[in-house]
């Protein structure tokens, strides 16, 4: 089956954040929404059909996670990632961010230092600070247009702060890096040396853009080591609104602690629709995913060509994975507020402001390229046409 990604479904009245909350969030109407991280595309037809059958049953009572669902998860990890997992490793969480917060609260104590690598998805810092832990940053380094880990700084910070946990974003949102095995090995070696537990958020694992290949961190670790892998069908199959993620924990003690924490919160219940959708996606979603990755890769190529030709002052780090593109507007010298205001008020495009990903993101904007090509074209054209209306950098700081 050939999927049509050129069409954006109308979600009016359904409370879609991207389609309906944009004017509220950005305080401006008429914006093209290329911000929040979900796709404009309909998911695999097998998922839609499975949900339709589930809806037709007309009864949406309490549901449990069946063996068939667990088998679908196991099959997916094996097929797509070459990672053999056991049924008992599979834990659950409504969202990955919930799982990150649960890990922080289950495996560290107040005041403990936890390391993250900004610029990074904003909840990474929130789950640390909101739980009264000490946030330690190991900023990524931008070298010749490519982000890299600063491993010397990582080790120094872990040592200086006696860090207990490291939260990895792999692939990385927003910079789009798919970490190489070598980089991950080096990171693991440092964490091992200092007894640092690794929580690896791999929600974008299925969205590596060829030729890049995602390495599940667990494949480089022994089963009894202290780590947690967070996976989900939400980004992969555009079902973030269903709230279902799979937290994979081989170490029994870690797993029991994590599950006990979730039980204490009484959030272990399963959403009937999410179960149906996740199983269908993991069983039948390969072809759709391959096609959507091809479409996103085409959008990324188009965007990079366009930016180089028409927005030469803007630098783009080509994403190796995810559908998120990190645009560097620093050459214009604007303050974060000036840049965001110009993008919304003059270009009329809704992008995520870079400074929300940490101070390292100031002067950047994150664009979501999982949109029909025509929407992307219009967004880029709007940005180009708004260039003459960019404020003077002399006003920076306002
Ligand atoms: C790295 C990363 N983790 C987690 C999430 C959100 O996960 P959830 O909606 O399952 O909490 C996102 C969403 O953009 C993300 O990019």
């Amino acid at each position: 089956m050939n999927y049509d990604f050129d069409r954006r479904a109308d979600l009016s009245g359904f409370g879609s954040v991207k389609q309906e909350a944009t004017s509220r969030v950005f305080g401006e109407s008429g914006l093209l929404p290329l911000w929040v991280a979900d796709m404009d595309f309909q998911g695999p037809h097998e998922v839609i059909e499975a949900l339709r059958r589930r809806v037709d049953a007309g009864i949406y009572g309490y549901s449990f996670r069946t063996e068939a669902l667990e088998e679908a998860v196991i099959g997916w990890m094996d097929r797509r990632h070459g990672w053999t997992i056991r049924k008992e490793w599979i834990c659950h969480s409504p969202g990955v961010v919930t799982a990150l917060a649960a890990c922080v609260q289950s495996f560290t104590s107040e005041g403990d230092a936890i390391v993250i690598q900004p610029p990074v998805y904003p909840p990474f810092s929130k789950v640390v600070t909101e739980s009264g832990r000490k946030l330690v940053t190991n900023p990524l380094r931008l070298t010749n247009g490519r982000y890299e880990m600063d491993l010397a700084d990582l080790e120094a910070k872990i040592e200086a702060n006696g860090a207990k946990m490291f939260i990895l974003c792999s692939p990385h949102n927003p910079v789009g890096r798919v970490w190489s095995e070598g980089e991950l090995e080096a990171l693991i070696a440092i964490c091992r040396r200092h007894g640092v537990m690794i929580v690896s958020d791999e929600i974008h694992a299925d969205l590596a853009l060829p030729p890049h290949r995602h390495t599940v961190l667990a494949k480089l670790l022994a089963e009894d080591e202290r780590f947690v892998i967070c996976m989900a069908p939400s980004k992969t199959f555009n079902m973030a609104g269903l709230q279902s993620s799979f937290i994979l924990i081989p170490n029994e003690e870690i797993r029991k602690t994590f599950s006990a924490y979730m039980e204490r919160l009484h959030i272990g219940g399963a959403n009937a629709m999410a179960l149906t959708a996740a199983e269908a996606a993991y069983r039948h979603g390969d072809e759709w995913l391959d096609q959507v990755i091809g479409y996103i890769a085409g959008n990324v190529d188009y965007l990079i060509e366009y930016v180089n030709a028409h927005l030469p002052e803007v630098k783009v780090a080509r994403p190796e994975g995810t559908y998120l593109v990190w645009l560097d507007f620093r050459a214009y010298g604007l303050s974060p507020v000036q840049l965001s205001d110009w993008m919304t008020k003059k270009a009329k495009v809704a992008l995520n402001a870079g400074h929300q990903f940490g101070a390292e993101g100031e002067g950047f904007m994150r664009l979501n390229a999982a949109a029909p090509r025509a929407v992307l074209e219009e967004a880029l054209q709007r940005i180009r046409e708004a260039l003459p209306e960019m404020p003077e950098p002399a006003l920076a700081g306002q």
Side-chain angles (χ1 to χ4, degrees):
M1 169 163 187
N2 271 333
Y3 287 96
D4 177 11
F5 300 119
D6 285 327
R7 198 175 65 85
R8 182 160 63 173
D10 177 16
L11 299 178
S12 325
F14 291 139
S16 155
V17 169
K18 200 189 221 170
Q19 288 198 22
E20 292 191 307
T22 301
S23 53
R24 186 148 39 93
V25 172
F26 288 81
E28 198 71 25
S29 58
L31 303 186
L32 267 190
L34 286 92
W35 59 297
V36 61
D38 52 29
M39 308 190 203
D40 285 347
F41 315 132
Q42 277 196 342
H45 74 91
E46 291 92 343
V47 172
I48 298 169
E49 284 307 315
L51 282 172
R52 207 167 266 148
R53 282 196 300 278
R54 187 68 191 82
V55 167
D56 284 347
I59 296 170
Y60 316 117
Y62 293 114
S63 307
F64 71 99
R65 299 175 181 93
T66 62
E67 213 159 296
L69 171 61
E70 289 171 340
E71 279 163 12
V73 176
I74 292 168
W76 183 262
M77 293 307 153
D78 183 40
R79 254 186 354 270
R80 302 295 298 201
H81 298 290
W83 183 31
T84 310
I85 63 166
R86 284 205 290 275
K87 214 181 331 195
E88 60 268 25
W89 297 357
I90 307 175
C91 302
H92 302 274
S93 170
V96 164
V97 175
T98 311
L100 299 181
C103 287
V104 165
Q105 289 172 27
S106 304
F107 303 111
T108 65
S109 306
E110 257 190 76
D112 280 351
I114 301 180
V115 186
I116 64 168
Q117 294 180 311
V120 70
Y121 179 56
F124 274 44
S125 55
K126 288 193 185 142
V127 296
V128 174
T129 54
E130 287 169 359
S131 294
R133 273 57 169 173
K134 181 179 176 190
L135 183 69
V136 175
T137 59
N138 165 230
L140 298 176
R141 240 184 1 213
L142 184 55
T143 315
N144 300 326
R146 189 163 190 256
Y147 279 92
E148 286 170 354
M149 294 190 192
D150 185 343
L151 294 166
D153 178 71
L154 173 64
E155 184 147 30
K157 297 257 174 77
I158 287 176
E159 259 174 351
N161 295 282
K164 296 285 187 292
M165 180 178 279
F166 174 79
I167 309 180
L168 174 67
C169 195
S170 176
H172 192 96
N173 168 12
V175 310
R177 275 300 316 278
V178 171
W179 305 114
S180 70
E181 261 190 52
E183 288 169 306
L184 296 174
E185 297 268 21
L187 174 74
I188 288 171
I190 293 170
C191 290
R192 268 191 193 131
R193 267 202 293 282
H194 299 280
V196 174
M197 177 172 176
I198 306 178
V199 176
S200 186
D201 177 342
E202 304 191 19
I203 197 168
H204 297 280
D206 299 315
L207 294 162
L209 302 174
H212 302 279
R213 287 189 63 81
H214 175 76
T215 303
V216 177
L217 193 79
K219 289 170 68 181
L220 308 175
L221 289 154
E223 282 175 22
D224 61 353
E225 290 191 84
R226 291 168 53 79
F227 67 91
V228 169
I229 309 287
C230 303
M231 293 277 191
S234 48
K235 300 287 157 192
T236 312
F237 296 106
N238 204 19
M239 50 174 76
L242 288 175
Q243 290 279 292
S244 174
S245 55
F246 298 94
I247 312 305
L248 305 166
I249 313 179
N251 178 305
E252 190 180 350
E253 188 194 323
I254 300 279
R255 190 166 66 238
K256 281 191 173 151
T257 305
F258 177 85
S259 299
Y261 181 89
M262 299 302 269
E263 270 164 36
R264 281 203 300 281
L265 294 179
H266 299 270
I267 51 173
N271 175 309
M273 296 299 157
L275 299 181
T276 298
E279 185 187 336
Y282 279 151
R283 247 179 226 294
H284 307 292
D286 298 71
E287 190 191 348
W288 179 89
L289 179 60
D290 292 337
Q291 287 186 33
V292 92
I293 286 174
Y295 193 87
I296 291 165
N299 274 1
V300 167
D301 286 343
Y302 172 83
L303 180 145
I304 288 175
E305 245 172 68
Y306 189 98
V307 168
N308 289 341
H310 303 297
L311 304 164
E313 302 289 329
V314 180
K315 304 276 174 292
V316 196
R318 177 182 278 276
E320 300 171 347
T322 81
Y323 42 74
L324 307 166
V325 189
W326 190 231
L327 299 169
D328 181 351
F329 285 86
R330 286 177 303 171
Y332 294 103
L334 305 184
S335 72
V337 173
Q338 282 182 310
L339 180 59
S340 303
D341 276 1
W342 169 77
M343 189 60 77
T344 48
K345 296 194 173 106
K346 303 297 181 192
K348 294 288 212 180
V349 180
L351 303 183
N352 288 92
H355 65 276
Q356 291 167 350
F357 297 78
E360 298 77 4
E362 286 183 9
F364 291 78
M365 301 229 83
R366 192 192 73 177
L367 181 148
N368 179 344
R373 179 71 54 86
V375 173
L376 180 64
E377 284 173 9
E378 188 179 340
L380 291 168
Q381 197 180 327
R382 286 188 186 192
I383 293 171
R384 179 186 178 188
E385 285 170 3
L387 282 180
E389 295 184 81
M390 206 171 240
E392 286 298 318
L395 298 177
Q398 288 192 346

